[in-house]
């Protein structure tokens, strides 16, 4: 691996995405990308007795499906990297308990999908692992219970609010050649533009996405035109226009290249407020829809920038502002199936 510029890792030993898998809840299955997910549950409990157990089941199912698709066993995985939104990343920790493989728990809020994939790819590139699994999850009801109000409270939300995606995504990376290569990753800095409204994550996270995308392009000497798609995690209808305007001020026009997972996962009639969010938002869109588009040849080079708000209910109650971060990973189609 070679460091490029200030924050970008260029993988030098041809790191490939062996497989990816996505699992969702019922609302996501009813959205425009529903047909691209590997499995969807028809209720928020996913057959479990509480929501936290349901989120754990989503994550375990995504990992199990990823292993099945890759024709691998749990014992083949040299390291699992995972995280989620709950205190002490309990979903990932308990799933790791059942995996019984070396584990690195990671918290990047909604940026966790690309954080785990970037670090896992680096470990494989350096020879510390042959197979690394990266996985993350979120659940609408567990996030509401922890970060806002219990769903039974029925509190009203403003239009700037986002809807936490119920789902989980998992990817496995290795040096075994496949049709999708992980080319590089840009590790974000913690940014804080003094936003303090927990019901407006898009405005808070847009500056972090801007900084990571700008740095990525500068580190590698590239322009937005070098990509078929520059995809952000969950800026929603509020943060996406802010991101575009910020990049334009620096001479980077992404209007024709940008989309946001939070805008893609729900349709306009699903009452998802400003769009989707949560760890699973970028994970299920990337490991579902984006991988499908790459394999079909409809996309060849994609920069996925997962965005995260590093807040906690305690800090919000203390009137602290919201620090945010964004991590980017480049997926490239190799065209093996042509």
């Amino acid at each position: 691996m070679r460091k490029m510029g200030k924050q970008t890792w260029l993988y030098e030993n041809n790191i490939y995405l062996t497989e990816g898998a996505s699992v969702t809840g019922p609302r996501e299955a009813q959205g425009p990308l529903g047909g691209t997910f590997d499995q969807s549950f028809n209720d928020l409990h996913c057959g479990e007795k509480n929501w936290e157990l349901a989120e754990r089941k989503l994550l375990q199912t995504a990992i199990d499906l990823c292993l099945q698709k890759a024709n691998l066993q749990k014992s083949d995985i040299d390291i699992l990297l995972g995280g989620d939104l709950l205190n002490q990343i309990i979903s990932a920790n308990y799933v790791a308990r059942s995996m019984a493989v070396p584990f690195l728990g990671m918290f990047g809020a909604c940026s966790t999908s690309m954080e785990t994939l970037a670090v896992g790819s680096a470990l494989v590139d350096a020879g510390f692992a042959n197979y690394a699994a990266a996985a993350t999850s979120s659940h609408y009801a567990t996030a509401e219970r922890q970060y806002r109000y219990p769903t039974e409270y029925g509190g009203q939300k403003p239009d700037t609010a986002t809807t936490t995606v119920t789902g989980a995504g998992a990817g496995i990376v290795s040096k075994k050649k496949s049709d999708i290569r992980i080319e590089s990753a840009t590790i974000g800095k913690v940014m804080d533009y003094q936003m303090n409204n927990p019901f407006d994550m898009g405005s808070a996270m847009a500056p972090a996405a801007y900084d990571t995308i700008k740095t990525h392009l500068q580190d590698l000497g590239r322009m937005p035109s070098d990509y078929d798609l520059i995809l952000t995690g969950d800026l929603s209808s509020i943060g996406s226009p802010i991101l575009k305007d910020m990049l334009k001020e620096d001479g980077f026009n992404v209007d024709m290249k940008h989309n946001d997972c939070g805008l893609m996962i729900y349709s306009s009639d699903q009452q998802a407020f400003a769009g989707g969010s949560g760890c699973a938002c970028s994970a299920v869109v990337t490991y579902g829809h984006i991988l499908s588009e790459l394999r079909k040849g409809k996309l060849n080079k994609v920069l996925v920038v997962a965005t995260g708000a590093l807040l906690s209910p305690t800090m919000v109650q203390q009137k602290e502002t919201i620090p945010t971060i964004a991590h980017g990973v480049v997926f490239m189609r190799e065209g093996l199936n042509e």
Side-chain angles (χ1 to χ4, degrees):
M1 186 176 74
R2 180 158 44 106
K3 183 182 178 186
M4 304 293 290
K6 292 183 176 293
Q7 295 164 225
T8 300
W9 301 343
L10 187 65
Y11 303 116
E12 295 188 292
N13 291 308
N14 288 338
I15 306 305
Y16 294 94
L17 186 71
T18 304
E19 259 303 346
S22 56
V23 180
T24 72
R27 178 182 287 189
E28 295 72 22
Q30 295 162 5
L33 304 182
T36 67
F37 306 132
D38 291 291
Q39 182 176 331
S40 295
F41 290 91
N42 58 14
D43 68 86
L44 285 178
H45 279 90
C46 304
E48 300 294 330
K49 64 182 180 181
N50 60 55
W51 292 321
E52 285 73 21
L53 286 175
E55 181 172 342
R56 194 187 308 176
K57 185 171 184 177
L58 288 163
L59 185 56
Q60 185 68 70
T61 302
I63 294 172
D64 289 345
L65 284 172
C66 197
L67 288 168
Q68 291 172 21
K69 292 169 70 176
N71 196 27
L72 295 171
Q73 303 297 317
K74 291 179 182 179
S75 57
D76 293 318
I77 302 301
D78 297 296
I79 191 161
L80 168 67
L81 303 94
D84 53 87
L85 291 175
L86 302 185
N87 288 338
Q88 291 80 50
I89 54 170
I90 56 170
S91 299
N93 287 342
Y94 279 86
V95 168
R97 178 182 66 179
S98 69
M99 290 283 291
V101 300
F103 172 63
L104 287 175
M106 308 183 77
F107 180 81
C110 304
S111 72
T112 302
S113 64
M114 293 303 108
E115 180 182 16
T116 53
L117 186 62
V119 175
S121 298
L123 293 172
V124 172
D125 189 66
F128 297 122
N130 293 319
Y131 288 99
T136 190
S137 64
S138 59
H139 190 290
Y140 173 77
T142 64
E144 289 296 303
R145 172 144 59 195
Q146 177 161 305
Y147 285 97
R148 301 175 186 96
Y149 303 103
T151 52
E152 295 87 350
Y153 180 77
Q156 296 298 303
K157 297 178 183 178
D159 291 339
T160 57
T162 51
T163 298
T164 303
V165 169
T166 298
I172 296 173
V173 290
S174 71
K175 293 178 183 176
K176 182 180 178 181
K177 194 164 187 178
S178 75
D179 52 356
I180 298 173
R181 182 162 63 90
I182 306 299
E183 185 234 21
S184 59
T186 299
I187 306 303
K189 302 192 300 282
V190 176
M191 311 290 291
D192 192 334
Y193 272 59
Q194 302 302 296
M195 305 290 182
N196 60 8
N197 181 4
F199 290 103
D200 183 5
M201 293 290 95
S203 296
M205 292 187 292
Y210 150 77
D211 188 75
T212 296
I213 293 170
K214 179 189 72 171
T215 302
H216 174 85
L217 295 172
Q218 292 175 337
D219 283 350
L220 294 174
R222 294 176 181 171
M223 294 297 291
S225 57
D226 291 316
Y227 295 95
D228 297 312
L229 175 65
I230 296 176
L231 185 68
T232 48
D234 38 15
L235 298 185
S236 72
S237 61
I238 305 300
S240 291
I242 297 173
L243 167 69
K244 292 177 184 179
D245 288 343
M246 295 182 77
L247 286 169
K248 279 180 185 177
E249 290 180 5
D250 282 334
F252 298 112
N253 190 330
V254 299
D255 286 359
M256 303 303 294
K257 298 293 182 178
H258 174 258
N259 207 337
D260 186 79
C261 297
L263 294 175
M264 298 167 68
I265 195 164
Y266 299 124
S267 59
S268 58
D269 61 352
Q270 285 188 285
Q271 297 180 334
F273 298 96
S277 62
C279 292
C281 186
S282 58
V284 300
V285 173
T286 300
Y287 292 128
H289 173 68
I290 299 303
L291 293 195
S292 175
E293 295 294 282
L294 285 164
R295 285 169 173 156
K296 291 176 183 177
K298 293 183 178 180
L299 295 170
N300 291 297
K301 193 173 185 180
V302 179
L303 170 61
V304 180
V305 181
T307 47
L310 307 175
L311 79 165
S312 76
T314 299
M315 301 315 293
V316 169
Q317 290 164 9
Q318 294 175 4
K319 309 302 181 184
E320 264 278 11
T321 53
I322 301 171
T324 62
I325 197 164
H327 303 296
V329 174
V330 175
F331 296 75
M332 293 183 64
R333 177 175 177 269
E334 293 286 273
L336 293 182
N337 296 327
E338 293 182 341

